[in-house]
């Protein structure tokens, strides 16, 4: 039987970005693709279902003078990102037709993946498949590794999470509650703050945009100081946190989204508190922790199924809306984990 | 026999300091003291021999709005600091007349210490007693704890030390060499740079004042990047280091002397490298590590006696010269560990 050739909508990265990314930095085109893995290739052919919009993707839009932990996108080719996909054809022994997988795919309807070794096969399909872009995928592992492996939490610890309603933050708060911590989150709208308290059971939450004095806000919620700050934003928030940390506090550094669009990052002035409070501040990358993924699933799947852990998604329908969805996360427009539905099966 | 009353020269802290400290922030006075511990006191009466000038003392000259790890000096009373002293009288079971001790004493010829529990008795007197203000005292323990406990060095690691000819830095470099590391130090004069290479056996050394581009300087000495940065200075140097760290690098944060005299500390802009390079940056205070002091002495005493470790002191003669000596360390005037001789026995 001849291989089927179909049209393939794609989101193309037009050129390197300086400052805030715009929709016009991407372009929707349609090409053709044959739904068959070529004979000389050890890969898989995917139908992409859900695409993930993640803050780190901004770093891939910059042309870097020196190597960084992720490679820049290549102008003229599709945006790449985590996604959930269905295997339509396979020449790789680990994957067979009909498998659902998650991993780094293209922003297009169909992708040929020539090196699928880093894809995870989805074994549990009795939960929403889209969750593998979030709580059951990279952001979930990020929250888990950062909180437990770097944060070293103990029952009773006072935990602060910035960007707390995002893909990672909402889970960090709930892991902290499961560990018996007191947890406060901040976000950028009334709606998000409500979500933190009502859905994710944070003890307290506040809108950082309404706080003229972040130091005073943190003092209000942490009169005794902060044991763990799960850092997602950087800049002024980090400065305010540093003066409110407790002795021997820990700061897992997951992201600094407030800084990604700046050409010159803001200065952080209060680092001397690292000494005064004997603080450990440690950056991490989820890719270093994927060996813990089975252990993480064992922990989190029952909590999801029993409704003990909630997960809120912000869903954009259709690949045409992917550029707008991605841009939106840098201004905080999304409520919860931002993803794009390309197809549902 | 009636207790002997003698005159007691003192260096009095006049008032809280803003900006750079000046000699006139201190005042030399003479009072009287009885060389006897009062009957209702469990203390010791000391003759002070060597006084230590240490960077952290600047922090004690500031009036703090909130508690910090050291208390502010009290205006109108003597400066306090580490020193080496001889016990002239004791009502404390751990100390007897004639003992040599080191610990937190007054900047004066004689001090009555009412709570001497934190003093260390000097058991080894076959090395210069003044060393207990430096390599065998607080700065030595600081280098040891910071380098080994926080830095987690391995043979072959590339180590960078700022303020490298100072009381702590010169020892960190030598510990790094003993561990089989490649070590580069920076200091602020040609003389100090020579010392780093000739006396302390750093592999390379440079004068940071002659480098217009610190990033380029670090690239020259660390083309492959830095595994351990022993942080003594903060500010611009830290920013340049952050972009030159290797993956999984460690930054023990010992001090930030470049920032202590500033009313608004400089901003550090490159913290996103903590994520990119998965860097652990950790502040520490030597007081948390004094339980390791016997272990440290066991390591370092043989090295000193065999001449495998050098220690350079900058010695000011006479308590009258103590204010000038202390002020000098903030402009880097000292070459090596700055101390003041009050008396030699």
């Amino acid at each position: 039987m001849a291989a089927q050739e179909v049209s393939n909508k794609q989101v193309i990265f037009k050129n390197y970005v300086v400052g805030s990314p715009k929709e016009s930095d991407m372009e929707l085109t349609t090409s053709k693709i044959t739904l068959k893995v070529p004979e000389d290739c050890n890969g898989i052919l995917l139908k992409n279902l859900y695409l993930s919009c993640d803050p780190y993707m901004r770093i891939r839009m910059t042309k870097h003078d020196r190597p960084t932990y992720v490679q820049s996108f290549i102008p003229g080719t599709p945006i790449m990102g985590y996604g959930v996909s269905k295997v339509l054809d396979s020449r790789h022994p680990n994957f067979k037709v009909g498998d659902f997988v998650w991993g780094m795919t293209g922003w297009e309807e169909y992708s040929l993946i020539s090196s699928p070794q880093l894809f995870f096969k989805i074994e549990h399909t009795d939960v929403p498949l889209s969750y593998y872009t979030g709580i059951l995928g990279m952001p979930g592992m990020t929250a888990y590794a950062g909180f437990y492996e770097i944060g070293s939490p103990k029952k009773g610890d006072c935990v602060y999470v910035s960007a707390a309603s995002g893909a990672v933050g909402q889970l960090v708060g709930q892991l902290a509650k499961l560990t018996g911590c007191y947890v406060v989150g901040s976000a950028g709208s009334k709606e998000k703050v409500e979500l933190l308290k009502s859905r994710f059971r944070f003890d307290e939450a506040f809108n950082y945009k309404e706080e003229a004095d972040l130091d005073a806000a943190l003092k209000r919620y942490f009169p005794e100081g902060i044991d763990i700050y799960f850092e997602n934003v950087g800049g002024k928030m980090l400065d305010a946190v540093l003066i409110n940390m407790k002795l021997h506090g820990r700061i897992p550094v997951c992201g600094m989204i407030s800084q990604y669009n700046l050409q010159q990052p803001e200065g952080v002035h209060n680092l001397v508190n690292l000494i005064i409070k004997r603080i450990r501040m440690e950056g991490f990358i989820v890719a270093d922790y994927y060996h813990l993924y089975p252990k993480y699933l064992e922990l989190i799947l029952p909590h999801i199924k029993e409704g003990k852990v909630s997960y809120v998604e912000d869903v954009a329908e259709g690949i045409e809306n992917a550029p707008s969805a991605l841009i939106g996360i840098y201004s905080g427009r999304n409520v919860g984990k931002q993803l794009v539905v390309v197809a549902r099966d």
Side-chain angles (χ1 to χ4, degrees), chain A:
Chain A
M1 189 178 94
Q4 192 190 354
E5 194 186 62
V6 298
S7 77
N8 189 20
K9 284 190 206 156
Q10 300 181 305
V11 178
I12 302 293
F13 178 62
K14 281 170 69 181
N15 211 341
Y16 300 115
V17 174
V18 176
S20 295
K22 302 176 296 299
E23 281 190 53
S24 59
D25 293 321
M26 293 166 268
E27 186 174 33
L28 205 74
T29 64
T30 301
S31 68
K32 298 266 178 195
I33 186 168
T34 301
L35 298 183
K36 200 88 196 145
V37 178
E39 285 189 16
D40 58 348
C41 170
N42 200 20
I44 53 180
L45 192 296
L46 298 181
K47 179 179 184 189
N48 294 315
L49 307 180
Y50 301 99
L51 300 177
S52 181
C53 298
D54 294 298
Y56 81 89
M57 294 169 79
R58 174 64 190 83
I59 298 168
R60 302 193 66 177
M61 297 183 203
T62 297
K63 184 170 188 170
H64 297 284
D65 298 333
R66 51 187 101 207
T68 175
Y69 69 111
V70 284
Q71 292 186 309
S72 299
F73 292 133
I74 301 164
T77 68
I79 299 277
M80 300 291 292
Y82 283 98
V84 173
S85 312
K86 190 174 167 179
V87 178
L88 297 189
D89 189 26
S90 172
R91 286 182 175 273
H92 192 284
N94 293 359
F95 305 97
K96 64 179 198 303
V97 173
D99 280 350
F100 291 103
V101 295
W102 71 269
M104 191 62 72
T105 190
W107 277 31
E108 54 194 352
E109 291 176 287
Y110 304 94
S111 297
L112 173 65
I113 305 294
S114 54
S115 302
Q117 298 82 344
L118 296 176
F119 272 74
F120 292 89
K121 193 172 347 185
I122 293 175
E123 311 281 2
H124 304 270
T125 54
D126 52 348
V127 286
L129 275 182
S130 60
Y131 276 19
Y132 290 92
T133 66
I135 187 169
L136 295 176
M138 181 277 284
M141 265 309 294
T142 301
Y144 176 75
F147 185 64
Y148 288 112
E149 300 294 312
I150 315 280
S152 314
K154 300 181 307 296
K155 191 177 167 183
D157 274 354
C158 297
V159 176
Y160 173 52
V161 187
S162 55
S165 72
V168 174
Q170 53 177 289
L171 183 57
V172 173
Q174 292 177 88
L175 294 175
K177 287 311 297 174
L178 289 172
T179 312
C181 301
Y182 165 81
V183 59
V184 179
S186 61
S189 75
K190 198 178 161 193
E191 182 186 4
K192 294 179 188 179
V193 167
E194 276 309 306
L195 208 55
L196 293 178
K197 290 197 276 195
S198 60
R199 281 289 295 275
F200 307 134
R201 284 164 292 195
F202 281 61
D203 294 288
E204 300 282 352
F206 66 93
N207 181 348
Y208 72 91
K209 292 181 181 170
E210 287 178 354
E211 301 289 343
D213 182 343
L214 291 171
D215 175 22
L218 292 172
K219 282 205 167 39
R220 203 161 67 229
Y221 293 109
F222 297 99
E224 309 286 316
I226 299 166
D227 292 293
I228 302 177
Y229 170 49
F230 197 98
E231 165 68 304
N232 287 314
V233 304
K236 289 185 185 64
M237 183 62 89
L238 176 57
D239 250 343
V241 166
L242 282 165
I243 46 183
N244 284 287
M245 290 295 289
K246 269 196 215 176
L247 276 192
H248 300 292
R250 287 84 70 199
I251 305 182
V253 186
C254 173
M256 294 192 167
I257 194 173
S258 74
Q259 307 298 297
Y260 295 160
N261 292 333
L262 306 177
Q263 286 178 261
Q264 161 75 317
E266 285 178 282
V268 172
H269 298 271
N270 296 327
L271 288 170
V272 76
N273 284 283
L274 295 181
I275 310 171
I276 297 174
K277 316 277 185 60
R278 296 85 142 163
I279 296 167
R280 173 162 55 80
M281 190 167 170
E282 188 167 350
F284 69 101
I285 301 277
V286 63
D288 294 341
Y289 295 92
Y290 279 140
H291 60 284
L292 300 176
Y293 185 60
K295 193 175 154 201
Y296 169 62
L297 284 186
E298 210 172 291
L299 169 82
I300 206 70
L301 279 169
H303 286 313
I304 293 175
K305 291 178 190 170
E306 293 162 21
K308 284 191 187 152
V309 164
S310 282
Y311 202 65
V312 170
E313 300 178 324
D314 194 327
V315 179
E317 290 290 338
I319 195 170
E320 315 68 48
N321 292 312
S324 156
L326 178 57
I327 302 315
I329 66 174
Y330 299 104
S331 57
R333 205 179 56 205
N334 58 309
V335 178
K337 162 65 193 173
Q338 181 68 58
L339 62 101
V340 178
V341 185
V342 181
R344 284 202 154 77
D345 57 27

